Amino acid sequence: EIVMTQSPATLSVSPGDRANLSCRASQSVSSDLAWYQQKPGQAPRLLIYGASTRTTGIPARFSGSGSGTEFTLTISSLQSEDFAVYYCQQCNNWPLTFGGGTRVEIK
Amino acid sequence: QVQLVQSGAEVKKPGASVKVSCKASGYIFTVYYIHWLRQAPGQGLELMGWINPNSGGTKYTQKFQGRVTMTRDTSITTAYMELSGLRSDDTAVYYCAKTLTGYDDDGFDIWGRGTMVTVSS
């Protein structure tokens, strides 16, 4: 099973600042990587798939990069609605696995 | 619009079974896999397995093999997940989610709102 490790666990950011969230895979997952946003009491929402492709309706301030074992989700200028937990998921190898999440909180 | 509507919250005793439904609408049900996941309180996301609504074929993660059964009824575009031998650590929100494409190993673009299952004596 591929282990996905996200860092940091918590990121304190001021509105308008840039946030970089990291996701590392225990072995190569090529570009088969998705990012989700989850707010309290809600289901996760798909932001990015294929490591860098935004889902329909996702603002351009969200971008994904990386391949192989190292991935980054960047939020270029944090808005109030972006404070949430973010998960990465590898879609390369069964079972599909998730990282433990990064909580983005208001500084 | 495309949506998955799940059944309501359940409270079960240890050892019992629970069956959660997931009704799909707004898209062709048989084209996209349905995955089931769960999230324990304050914890991360855990995949349980998937069902191919077209063939009825299933694949379960090792952790749930022998305890989970996923089925579907194409006539009412509904998928089901039944978990048996419930324990207190099965207390979680259970989600169904649709794959982005027609492949089983893909991101999940549409999610149900989740079904809270509480296991308590």
Side-chain angles (χ1 to χ4, degrees):
Chain A
E1 174 174 313
I2 296 177
V3 177
M4 306 300 292
T5 303
Q6 291 186 244
S7 61
T10 303
L11 188 60
S12 297
V13 186
S14 299
D17 283 357
R18 182 185 189 92
N20 289 312
L21 287 65
S22 177
C23 175
R24 175 176 294 177
S26 61
Q27 64 188 71
S28 177
V29 298
S30 187
S31 295
D32 300 327
L33 193 285
W35 288 96
Y36 298 85
Q37 176 194 68
Q38 188 177 33
K39 297 180 180 179
Q42 296 184 16
R45 178 173 69 147
L46 180 65
L47 301 175
I48 302 279
Y49 63 94
S52 61
T53 303
R54 277 190 306 277
T55 308
T56 302
I58 299 304
R61 63 180 181 272
F62 291 92
S63 63
S65 62
S67 66
T69 62
E70 300 281 346
F71 300 89
T72 301
L73 174 69
T74 298
I75 312 171
S76 59
S77 176
L78 270 148
Q79 306 298 302
S80 58
E81 61 267 30
D82 300 335
F83 292 95
V85 178
Y86 293 82
Y87 293 97
C88 62
Q89 176 204 19
Q90 66 82 14
C91 305
N92 182 263
N93 197 268
W94 181 262
L96 310 186
T97 47
F98 291 84
T102 290
R103 179 180 305 277
V104 177
E105 63 176 29
I106 300 174
K107 188 173 184 179
Chain B
Q1 73 279 24
V2 178
Q3 60 178 352
L4 298 172
V5 178
Q6 296 186 224
S7 49
E10 303 263 12
V11 179
K12 296 292 183 180
K13 294 195 182 302
S17 297
V18 68
K19 190 171 186 176
V20 180
S21 67
C22 171
K23 177 163 177 64
S25 61
Y27 72 96
I28 302 173
F29 179 62
T30 52
V31 171
Y32 303 91
Y33 287 71
I34 294 285
H35 288 243
W36 288 90
L37 308 92
R38 74 179 188 182
Q39 187 171 37
Q43 302 301 308
L45 296 161
E46 181 176 36
L47 183 69
M48 300 177 70
W50 56 249
I51 183 165
N52 178 334
N54 185 42
S55 66
T58 56
K59 191 169 188 176
Y60 307 136
T61 60
Q62 188 170 6
K63 177 174 180 175
F64 296 99
Q65 280 276 4
R67 269 211 311 147
V68 71
T69 303
M70 296 177 189
T71 57
R72 94 294 189 216
D73 184 337
T74 56
S75 69
I76 55 171
T77 65
T78 299
Y80 302 91
M81 185 283 299
E82 184 169 22
L83 187 63
S84 62
L86 290 170
R87 308 182 290 254
S88 59
D89 62 358
D90 290 319
T91 294
V93 176
Y94 289 75
Y95 292 104
C96 60
K98 162 192 165 293
T99 51
L100 178 67
T101 67
Y103 297 99
D104 64 291
D105 55 350
D106 210 343
F108 309 140
D109 65 334
I110 302 295
W111 294 64
R113 286 191 165 188
T115 296
M116 182 71 214
V117 175
T118 303
V119 183
S120 174
S121 55

